[in-house]
Amino acid sequence: MYKLVLIRHGESTWNLENRFTGWTDVDLTPTGVSQAMSAGKLLKAEGWDFDLCYTSVLKRAIRTLWLTLDEMDRTWLPVVKDYRLNERHYGGLQGLNKADMAKQYGDEQVLVWRRSYDTPPPALEATDPRCERSDRRYPNPEAVPLTECLKDTVARVVPYWTETIAPSIQSGKRVLIAAHGNSIRALIKYLDGISDSDIVSLNIPNGIPLVYELDENLKPIRHYYLGDAAAAAAAAAAVASQGKA
Ligand SMILES: O=C(O)[C@@H](CO)OP(=O)(O)O
């Protein structure tokens, strides 16, 4: 049996301001920093250790990973950063307030933009100053979407899992992934075979380690949040309600 740990970044400045974030590279808040440190303390206290870490190219995930590892005295571990673990691109919604959008367009529409499997938010114009196509952290402009639905995120996360992360787990490496609400949802949808309709209600809380126990074919046996399960459930429910007017 293999054990994989997933962690969504700690609270970001735009989580706090309730703004759609996507590929915008915002940092952690002080709460986010302490969530990441608590995750590291918990992992250490429960005797977890890792050989290899993966994260996105966004600082809220990178910093969460580093703070978690620092608490474990493991900042020396190899870390692979790849844009394919980035948050789902939120298109023209990036920077806008979720509750304001719900007031303007209705809770139902915002739920579609946030959680529907195959309806993307309105696309950014390539000329929009928010567009990341000239950002040199990305391999080429075509790799940078102008918007994504979860299906699009699955289409980049799952090949990265299959080609890169899964072989390292199967070679015996203990893996920690620090990523984002929707890139983690994309991976979980694939691992657990969640339907397009059931994935709508899956929400990932900030900064709480999520353990997946996997069989030799990397099929999930069970999963659970470390620490207080009721607190994790409450934090996930709070994420679900961020898009309400
Ligand atoms: O804004 C975002 O990029 C994500 C995660 O913070 O939000 P949501 O939970 O609305 O998909």
Side-chain angles (χ1 to χ4, degrees), residues 88 116-117 148-154 182 185-186 199:
R88 177 165 71 96
S116 80
Y117 183 57
E148 285 184 313
C149 57
L150 189 65
K151 190 177 180 183
D152 299 321
T153 310
V154 167
N182 295 298
R185 289 175 70 242
I199 195 65

Side-chain angles (χ1 to χ4, degrees), residues 8 15 19-22 60 87-88 90 98 114-115 182 239 242:
R8 181 184 173 201
N15 290 150
R19 294 160 80 177
F20 290 101
T21 314
R60 58 194 187 275
E87 181 54 290
R88 177 165 71 96
Y90 250 115
K98 296 175 190 180
R114 293 184 74 211
R115 294 291 176 262
N182 295 298
V239 173
Q242 283 165 353

Side-chain angles (χ1 to χ4, degrees), residues 18-242:
N18 204 21
R19 294 160 80 177
F20 290 101
T21 314
W23 284 32
T24 314
D25 197 9
V26 296
D27 211 339
L28 299 180
T29 64
T31 299
V33 168
S34 87
Q35 288 168 333
M37 292 171 69
S38 302
K41 287 190 180 89
L42 186 58
L43 286 162
K44 186 177 182 187
E46 296 205 2
W48 289 81
D49 204 355
F50 302 100
D51 303 301
L52 179 57
C53 309
Y54 293 92
T55 189
S56 71
V57 294
L58 297 171
K59 70 178 77 158
R60 58 194 187 275
I62 296 167
R63 207 182 295 285
T64 296
L65 177 61
W66 194 89
L67 290 164
T68 302
L69 294 179
D70 195 28
E71 290 297 326
M72 302 175 73
D73 198 19
R74 288 290 181 272
T75 53
W76 53 268
L77 280 177
V79 173
V80 182
K81 301 182 186 114
D82 197 289
Y83 78 95
R84 284 168 290 184
L85 293 174
N86 272 15
E87 181 54 290
R88 177 165 71 96
H89 198 287
Y90 250 115
L93 298 180
Q94 289 188 174
L96 302 179
N97 181 280
K98 296 175 190 180
D100 287 351
M101 289 298 103
K103 272 179 217 136
Q104 203 172 329
Y105 296 99
D107 289 0
E108 207 51 30
Q109 178 61 66
V110 170
L111 183 65
V112 168
W113 285 331
R114 293 184 74 211
R115 294 291 176 262
S116 80
Y117 183 57
D118 51 15
T119 306
L124 268 184
E125 298 286 336
T127 53
D128 191 302
R130 293 172 292 169
C131 179
E132 301 88 359
R133 288 202 164 162
S134 59
D135 189 325
R136 76 181 183 90
R137 84 187 80 183
Y138 299 111
N140 54 63
E142 293 72 50
V144 178
L146 297 172
T147 187
E148 285 184 313
C149 57
L150 189 65
K151 190 177 180 183
D152 299 321
T153 310
V154 167
R156 63 174 159 86
V157 169
V158 170
Y160 188 62
W161 165 263
T162 309
E163 289 155 24
T164 303
I165 304 177
S168 65
I169 295 172
Q170 286 180 308
S171 78
K173 296 231 174 355
R174 294 164 296 175
V175 166
L176 171 62
I177 303 176
H180 302 263
N182 295 298
S183 52
I184 291 174
R185 289 175 70 242
L187 180 59
I188 289 177
K189 184 181 191 300
Y190 169 75
L191 290 176
D192 280 331
I194 299 174
S195 71
D196 299 359
S197 54
D198 287 349
I199 195 65
V200 172
S201 52
L202 179 71
N203 286 281
I204 309 295
N206 294 100
I208 306 179
L210 172 57
V211 178
Y212 264 76
E213 295 181 357
L214 308 165
D215 72 12
E216 70 275 17
N217 299 312
L218 303 187
K219 293 285 160 241
I221 300 163
R222 66 178 187 130
H223 63 264
Y224 53 93
Y225 282 101
L226 287 189
D228 182 344
V239 173
S241 61
Q242 283 165 353

